[in-house]
Structure formats: C-alpha cells, structure tokens
Amino acid sequence: MITILMAEDDADDRLMTREAFQECRLGNPLQFVTDGEELMDYLNRRGKYADEVLYPMPGLILLDLNMPRKDGREALREIKSDPALREIPVVVLTTSKAEEDVATSYCDGANSFITKPVSFAALIEVVRTLGKYWLQIVDLPAPGQPPR
C-alpha cells in the first residue's frame, strides 16, 4: 500500500483532506508537510524525516502551489529534475485556477492538476476519484525503486 504525501500549508485543508480520506475509506498512509522546504526534506530524508519507517517514501504526492518558504512550483521543478524522485507522480491540488499555473505545472512535470473544491462534499468526490484512479486503476512504480 503506497503512502500519500500532501504538501499543504493550510491546517484546515489538511484536516479536511484527512477527513475526506477517512470518509472515502482510503486506508493508505497519509503524511503531511507544510511547505516546499519540508517536502524536499521529507523526500531527501533530511532532519526529522531521516527515519524511513516513520516517513516512508511516498508513491503519490499531492502538492499545493501556494506555500511559504518554497512554493509548490519550485518544489515540483526540483522533484522532476531529480532522477531519484522524478518517477513519483505529483498531483497539483491547489486553489489556483490560473491558466498559466495549469500550463506551467504540466510543463514542469505534474501528472495531474486539480483545483481544490470549496465544499467538503466536493472534496470527498475529488478524493474518491483520486483514490479510484491513482490507487486502484493506475499501476505505479514501487516507492524507492532506483531510477533507470
């Protein structure tokens, strides 16, 4: 079962996402980081994220674009330029509806771009669809597999 790592600075959005995962009965481990710096620390096993048991390599990243310190745009480019990380699917999940953000995210290697819904019911539907597609339909590489 793959771990899902969500980079999201808004505590309410993290809580709602956790509740939506529970509501949809998705049993995948869900980890959270609050900005792009923390995301890169987690992925590169730096600092408090050095423990591979507590912080397993994710098989899917949910990425907010607008975060402090290092935003999601910078983190996405860093992930997709790293041979050890670039195979991890990244789903941009953000409040932005800007066409430029959509185009740039895909150009930088995002695997999907989803505008965050405003209601909890709509978030449940997004999580249900994400779960079905990314966790049931798609074949993903095993986390931590060495790059080819």
Side-chain angles (χ1 to χ4, degrees):
M1 183 173 292
I2 70 163
T3 296
I4 299 165
L5 176 59
M6 183 174 196
E8 171 59 64
D9 63 314
D10 186 283
D12 290 337
D13 284 353
R14 291 192 304 269
L15 178 62
M16 282 187 17
T17 301
R18 183 176 298 287
E19 289 175 355
F21 268 77
Q22 290 169 348
E23 180 79 20
C24 294
R25 300 187 191 328
L26 296 177
N28 293 72
L30 187 58
Q31 297 277 357
F32 293 95
V33 293
T34 58
D35 61 45
E37 287 290 336
E38 235 187 300
L39 173 60
M40 298 315 299
D41 286 348
Y42 185 112
L43 294 173
N44 290 301
R45 308 231 176 269
R46 294 188 295 245
K48 73 178 189 179
Y49 299 107
D51 187 327
E52 294 180 27
V53 175
L54 288 176
Y55 304 104
M57 191 56 73
L60 180 65
I61 297 171
L62 303 179
L63 180 66
D64 186 23
L65 292 182
N66 302 310
M67 297 183 292
R69 298 202 306 157
K70 179 181 289 190
D71 72 13
R73 295 162 190 86
E74 295 170 279
L76 176 61
R77 285 190 294 272
E78 198 170 326
I79 291 165
K80 293 304 181 176
S81 68
D82 185 330
L85 303 174
R86 71 171 148 231
E87 290 186 12
I88 302 170
V90 177
V91 174
V92 173
L93 184 59
T94 187
T95 56
S96 174
K97 293 180 180 179
E99 187 58 41
E100 180 180 342
D101 282 336
V102 175
T104 301
S105 294
Y106 281 114
C107 185
D108 289 341
N111 299 87
S112 293
F113 188 103
I114 300 170
T115 301
K116 280 183 201 168
V118 292
S119 74
F120 185 65
L123 178 62
I124 288 173
E125 193 54 40
V126 165
V127 168
R128 184 174 287 121
T129 303
L130 273 171
K132 185 170 180 76
Y133 182 76
W134 286 106
L135 306 176
Q136 295 174 11
I137 296 173
V138 173
D139 290 323
L140 295 172
Q145 288 289 75
R148 288 174 237 123

